[in-house]
Amino acid sequence: MKKSSNGKEKKTETEMKDMAEKEELKSEEESKEEKLSPEAKIKILEEEIEKIKKEKDDVYDKYLRKLAEFDNYRKRIEKEKSEFQEFLLGEFIKELIPFFDNFEIALKNKEFEEKEGFRKGVELIFKSLKDTFFKMGLVEINDVGKEFDPFIHEAISKEESTEVKIPVVEDVFHKGYSFRNRLLRPCIVKVKIPKEEKALNINLQEEEEKIN
């Protein structure tokens, strides 16, 4: 920058030229706006309004998507929390199952028959305890006479019989329990299964009937 004799800065020729060009462009734009018809000006304003409206809609759409994502996240957290609480409750009940067994064994004791009042008291406590858990979703599995199901039954003894065509639960040693569709303990059972000889005879008879 060059300085005058009085110490003030002088603008260079290039700076003066740039300023002149800017002023000229500004003057041309203002001149163009003045020459526009009212209809053209209205159209420009409408285009600006439409642009702003679109930007507003985009922002609102993004807001709704974020709101939906947060709602889904909240529901997932609540579901996981509920499932975890249900799992813990199931584990707690599972720990009580041996006490159920002990109650049943004690009630079958012949000494209890001589103490009717005491026996009824124990039965009442046991029933009240189980009813409380039944209301929560506990289900007792005691399937004597029903078809053997390996998913809920555990066979520790079996007996062949000509009276059955499919495996059937003959006796229950320990009741099974499930809690809200989750198996806590399988039913410990004795199974009656079809006798192999009879099954073989049935198959031979069916084959003969097909031939005839």
Side-chain angles (χ1 to χ4, degrees):
M1 300 289 291
K2 295 181 180 180
K3 295 184 179 180
S4 62
S5 58
N6 59 8
K8 294 181 179 181
E9 296 182 354
K10 288 185 177 181
K11 294 181 179 178
T12 63
E13 185 178 344
T14 304
E15 290 174 335
M16 295 292 290
K17 187 176 179 181
D18 289 342
M19 289 182 65
E21 288 178 353
K22 289 179 180 178
E23 288 294 330
E24 185 178 351
L25 287 171
K26 184 178 179 182
S27 178
E28 287 178 359
E29 289 176 357
E30 290 176 351
S31 177
K32 286 180 181 179
E33 290 180 0
E34 290 176 357
K35 291 178 182 180
L36 290 174
S37 65
E39 290 81 5
K41 290 181 179 180
I42 291 172
K43 185 177 180 181
I44 291 173
L45 288 173
E46 288 176 345
E47 289 175 353
E48 288 294 326
I49 291 171
E50 189 65 28
K51 182 180 178 182
I52 293 171
K53 184 180 177 182
K54 186 176 183 302
E55 289 175 352
K56 184 205 74 171
D57 291 342
D58 289 343
V59 171
Y60 186 64
D61 185 58
K62 289 178 181 178
Y63 164 74
L64 290 179
R65 284 202 298 268
K66 291 295 181 182
L67 192 64
E69 288 175 4
F70 176 76
D71 189 53
N72 290 335
Y73 170 77
R74 179 183 58 80
K75 289 178 180 178
R76 186 174 70 253
I77 293 299
E78 288 178 354
K79 182 182 178 183
E80 290 175 354
K81 180 181 177 181
S82 176
E83 288 175 347
F84 182 64
Q85 289 175 340
E86 184 175 302
F87 173 79
L88 290 180
L89 182 56
E91 287 298 300
F92 171 69
I93 296 174
K94 187 177 181 180
E95 293 298 319
L96 292 178
I97 290 176
F99 291 95
F100 295 168
D101 295 336
N102 292 336
F103 265 109
E104 291 182 346
I105 291 171
L107 289 171
K108 291 177 182 178
N109 194 316
K110 291 184 179 180
E111 293 182 4
F112 266 45
E113 295 178 1
E114 300 174 359
K115 302 175 182 179
E116 186 176 351
F118 182 68
R119 177 187 175 86
K120 286 183 177 179
V122 173
E123 284 179 341
L124 185 61
I125 294 171
F126 184 39
K127 183 179 182 303
S128 178
L129 178 64
K130 291 181 77 173
D131 286 346
T132 299
F133 289 113
F134 288 157
K135 290 177 182 177
M136 293 181 184
L138 183 68
V139 176
E140 188 177 79
I141 306 171
N142 186 20
D143 296 338
V144 175
K146 294 185 179 180
E147 181 180 353
F148 176 77
D149 184 348
F151 292 103
I152 60 173
H153 300 140
E154 181 179 334
I156 60 173
S157 176
K158 65 180 180 179
E159 177 185 337
E160 290 186 342
S161 173
T162 58
E163 298 176 357
V164 296
K165 294 183 179 179
I166 57 173
V168 173
V169 175
E170 183 179 16
D171 194 11
V172 172
F173 299 117
H174 290 295
K175 295 175 182 177
Y177 294 91
S178 66
F179 180 70
R180 297 179 185 175
N181 298 320
R182 176 190 166 203
L183 185 67
L184 300 182
R185 186 182 75 179
C187 189
I188 311 301
V189 301
K190 176 182 179 181
V191 183
K192 186 181 289 187
I193 61 174
K195 196 169 184 179
E196 293 183 2
E197 292 181 3
K198 183 178 180 182
L200 179 61
N201 291 335
I202 291 173
N203 291 335
L204 289 174
Q205 185 178 355
E206 289 177 352
E207 290 296 328
E208 289 177 358
E209 289 176 355
K210 288 179 181 180
I211 294 172
N212 295 332

